[in-house]
Amino acid sequence: MRLYPRPGTESGTRRLARQYPAALLGLLLCSTGGALAALALPAALGDTVDRLVAGGVPWSLLLLCAALTLAETGFDAAAAVTGTSTTARLTASLRTRTAARVLATEPRRALALPTGDLTARLTARTADAASAPVTAAGAVAGVLLPLGALVGLLLIDVWTAAALLLGAPLLVALLRAFTRRTADAGADYQHAQSLIAHRLTEALDGADTIRAARTGAREHRRVLEPLTVLAEHGRRTWAVYGRAVGRSGLLLPLLMLLVLAVAGLRLHAGAIGVGDLVAASRYASLAVGIGSLTGALGALARSRAAARSLEPLLTLAPLPHRGLGPVPDAPGRLELRDVGVEQDGGPLLTGVHLTVPGGTSLAVVGRSGAGKSVLAAVAGRLLDPDTGSVLLDGVPMDGMEPARLRREVAYAFARPALPGTTVEDTIAYGPWTASPEAVRDAARAARADGFLALLPYGYATPVADAPLSGGERQRLGLARAFAHPGRLMILDDALSSLDTVTEHHVRRALDERAGHCTRVIVAHRLSSAARADRVAWLEDGRIRATGRHDELWSDPDYRAVFRTDVPAEGSVPASRTPVTPAAGAEAR
């Protein structure tokens, strides 16, 4: 099932409405039924009053009035229940579709929006936008009531209806101005909310830095600074609503008084009866109730503004592919051919040519900002290069169906996200759900089983209740990668928070995968580079050199990358002698 719309397809209220047509049709029928019952009731009351004035007790008409009252109440209750449940389902559907679109596109496009703004759009904005079909269906009854009441007045007396029509242009102008101003104020209010969410997310991500620098008060002021603008837009929204209510509160009673005055004069002239006067007063009340549309119109204006903010997400293009799959039983040979990546007009990678034979390990080293993480992202197609191509066992990655590619590429990061309810769920999370046995084997390989055994409920401990250090979080991320073995494993600085002993054991677990899993390791430690079959030395987004670690060690610039004590030129410390590369290993 396609969870996101194809580029160029219709989106918005009508697209949402087509997802649950039966529920919305039921809501429309209930709203219409309630409106029709409300419109029939004044006529029945008028006939009842006429019969009572004539000296009889019209039991059938009394029962009809009671039935219409119950029908109106029942239809309105059913509409409320149906509307609430449908809005909830539409919200869930829209959030799923928007999140799927964000996840299906290239990450740098999805992350073009600030994280806080993206979160606000995926939560509050989707709820506002999803309410549009239900609000529109309910508004049909809001329009039907005044129009039907006008027809009822015309049937009773033309002059009485003319009195109502006299104020209709003023009501229409009032509603139009309210809708336009509410939409503008709502859009500005949502923008200010997004800015606060973005700044709060930044502050939470940098909480340790803020605490260490003792700048909490300054950050507090920075995060809450947009509250002034938010309050201004909020007051503006309420001012618009207040002016509309105030003007309608003045206009509607005057209009009602005018209608009743004309009806009274017509009664005195003998043109209508007492029952007609009762019915006319009820119809006039329903007709001037058009002012209640302000709430629905305000909600539709907010929905429209929210839908506009979601449109950039819903139109994100998914990663293109040609439905190809990886070559069966291939060793995982990785090739980067003339790869270039740009951002904001500047190069991040330029002319990268690199081949990693299947089953071997490659350490990617370089100073901060050299492009190591960008290369790691390109190597597993978390990022598409702007120029060049990336191949896995001779198959272009941009031609592989994403779901099939994800089963072949495992990632571990320096700061891994830990989705899942429990620790076991976190490790099992991936392209497929790893079995309990695979989870425990992976935890042992990542040296996470020791601290997991000390948790209150072991592997069943909720992640939120597990006091994890940075190194322990990294080990859970490594365990997740180990639990989903493919032909290519990419570690983006995923060993940086491990102590020396733990790193040694994890490296042994990685070495055990030699021959059937290609490993690309973004490394900052000399030991990681020394154990790799091959090293790719990045500098300013270019491959400066590739080769064995002991071959590159003779270059003082290479030694300076690790910021360590430099031994005599050309020598390699005995404790850091690199592992002999696998047969046939090559890199260029």
Side-chain angles (χ1 to χ4, degrees):
M1 179 179 68
R2 183 177 290 271
L3 293 177
Y4 45 84
R6 295 180 176 85
T9 59
E10 181 185 10
S11 61
T13 304
R14 280 181 289 181
R15 179 181 176 83
L16 284 170
R18 286 200 298 271
Q19 295 186 22
Y20 297 101
L24 290 172
L25 178 60
L27 173 62
L28 182 61
L29 292 176
C30 289
S31 300
T32 304
L36 292 177
L39 290 171
L41 184 57
L45 285 174
D47 288 344
T48 303
V49 170
D50 284 338
R51 294 286 186 89
L52 289 172
V53 170
V57 180
W59 293 108
S60 59
L61 288 175
L62 289 173
L63 290 175
L64 176 60
C65 291
L68 290 173
T69 302
L70 291 174
E72 181 183 359
T73 304
F75 278 127
D76 288 346
V81 172
T82 305
T84 301
S85 61
T86 304
T87 298
R89 287 189 291 171
L90 285 172
T91 301
S93 175
L94 184 57
R95 283 177 179 164
T96 300
R97 186 158 52 91
T98 307
R101 176 65 83 171
V102 170
L103 294 174
T105 194
E106 188 180 0
R108 62 175 167 174
R109 294 185 179 180
L111 297 178
L113 288 174
T115 304
D117 188 13
L118 181 61
T119 302
R121 296 191 191 202
L122 289 173
T123 52
R125 303 293 181 277
T126 51
D128 287 339
S131 65
V134 171
T135 304
V140 171
V143 174
L144 182 61
L145 280 175
L147 291 180
L150 178 60
V151 173
L153 283 175
L154 285 171
L155 294 176
I156 293 172
D157 183 64
V158 174
W159 289 103
T160 305
L164 177 65
L165 288 174
L166 189 64
L170 294 176
L171 277 177
V172 173
L174 176 66
L175 293 176
R176 182 178 179 182
F178 172 78
T179 303
R180 183 178 63 254
R181 293 170 183 170
T182 300
D184 294 340
D188 293 338
Y189 188 88
Q190 290 172 356
H191 177 73
Q193 279 184 320
S194 296
L195 183 58
I196 293 175
H198 170 56
R199 293 186 178 183
L200 179 59
T201 302
E202 284 183 331
L204 292 175
D205 287 341
D208 291 338
T209 302
I210 294 169
R211 190 180 299 112
R214 298 181 65 83
T215 57
R218 185 190 308 170
E219 281 300 305
H220 182 269
R221 290 192 298 271
R222 187 182 74 89
V223 171
L224 298 184
E225 181 185 7
L227 274 179
T228 303
V229 179
L230 186 70
E232 180 183 341
H233 294 318
R235 286 192 295 269
R236 178 177 154 206
T237 301
W238 282 109
V240 171
Y241 184 77
R243 283 194 294 269
V245 171
R247 290 169 183 173
S248 63
L250 178 63
L251 176 62
L252 299 183
L254 290 176
L255 188 57
M256 183 76 175
L257 182 61
L258 177 62
V259 171
L260 290 178
V262 173
L265 292 174
R266 298 293 288 169
L267 174 65
H268 182 266
I272 61 175
V274 176
D276 291 332
L277 177 63
V278 172
S281 65
R282 291 284 298 171
Y283 280 131
S285 177
L286 293 176
V288 298
I290 193 172
S292 65
L293 281 175
T294 54
L297 291 175
L300 286 173
R302 290 192 300 272
S303 297
R304 187 176 180 181
R308 283 198 299 266
S309 72
L310 292 177
E311 194 64 23
L313 301 182
L314 290 170
T315 55
L316 286 171
L319 281 173
H321 64 87
R322 299 186 294 278
L324 303 178
V327 176
D329 303 322
R333 178 185 176 92
L334 177 66
E335 298 176 72
L336 282 73
R337 298 179 179 176
D338 194 26
V339 165
V341 177
E342 295 183 358
Q343 181 174 312
D344 298 330
L348 300 180
L349 292 178
T350 304
V352 174
H353 290 273
L354 192 63
T355 299
V356 187
T360 67
S361 61
L362 174 75
V364 181
V365 304
R367 296 184 183 276
S368 178
K372 302 184 297 296
S373 292
V374 178
L375 189 146
V378 168
R381 212 197 175 192
L382 292 184
L383 180 68
D384 274 343
D386 295 300
T387 60
S389 58
V390 183
L391 294 84
L392 184 61
D393 290 317
V395 180
M397 281 194 179
D398 61 2
M400 290 191 195
E401 200 277 323
R404 300 174 70 181
L405 175 62
R406 287 297 133 226
R407 298 182 69 88
E408 300 296 336
V409 182
Y411 265 98
F413 300 97
R415 298 176 61 186
L418 301 179
T421 304
T422 65
V423 172
E424 182 171 350
D425 293 338
T426 294
I427 299 176
Y429 187 88
W432 68 91
T433 302
S435 66
E437 295 77 14
V439 166
R440 282 152 181 77
D441 290 342
R444 284 190 289 271
R447 302 292 289 180
D449 55 332
F451 75 82
L452 291 179
L454 300 177
L455 294 177
Y457 303 103
Y459 286 84
T461 302
V463 177
D465 298 337
L468 302 174
S469 66
E472 289 168 344
R473 294 180 69 90
Q474 276 196 353
R475 278 182 271 175
L476 286 182
L478 286 164
R480 185 168 58 209
F482 284 137
H484 301 87
R487 66 184 71 190
L488 176 62
M489 180 179 290
I490 301 175
L491 277 58
D492 185 1
D493 202 19
L495 307 177
S496 58
S497 296
L498 305 185
D499 59 80
T500 304
V501 175
T502 302
E503 182 196 5
H504 172 73
H505 287 286
V506 172
R507 287 300 316 228
R508 287 183 59 183
L510 288 170
D511 292 341
E512 290 174 0
R513 284 157 172 75
H516 56 85
C517 177
T518 304
R519 289 93 65 212
V520 176
I521 304 162
V522 173
H524 290 281
R525 293 181 179 177
L526 187 146
S527 57
S528 295
R531 293 180 67 97
D533 296 328
R534 228 53 176 175
V535 175
W537 177 13
L538 277 178
E539 190 172 90
D540 296 329
R542 297 177 180 272
I543 297 288
R544 175 163 173 176
T546 60
R548 289 165 50 100
H549 172 72
D550 56 347
E551 296 170 349
L552 299 175
W553 189 255
S554 60
D555 190 326
D557 290 340
Y558 177 77
R559 297 197 298 270
V561 167
F562 299 97
R563 298 180 180 177
T564 186
D565 293 334
V566 181
E569 186 171 342
S571 64
V572 179
S575 62
R576 296 168 179 167
T577 303
V579 177
T580 302
E586 62 173 310
R588 68 177 185 270

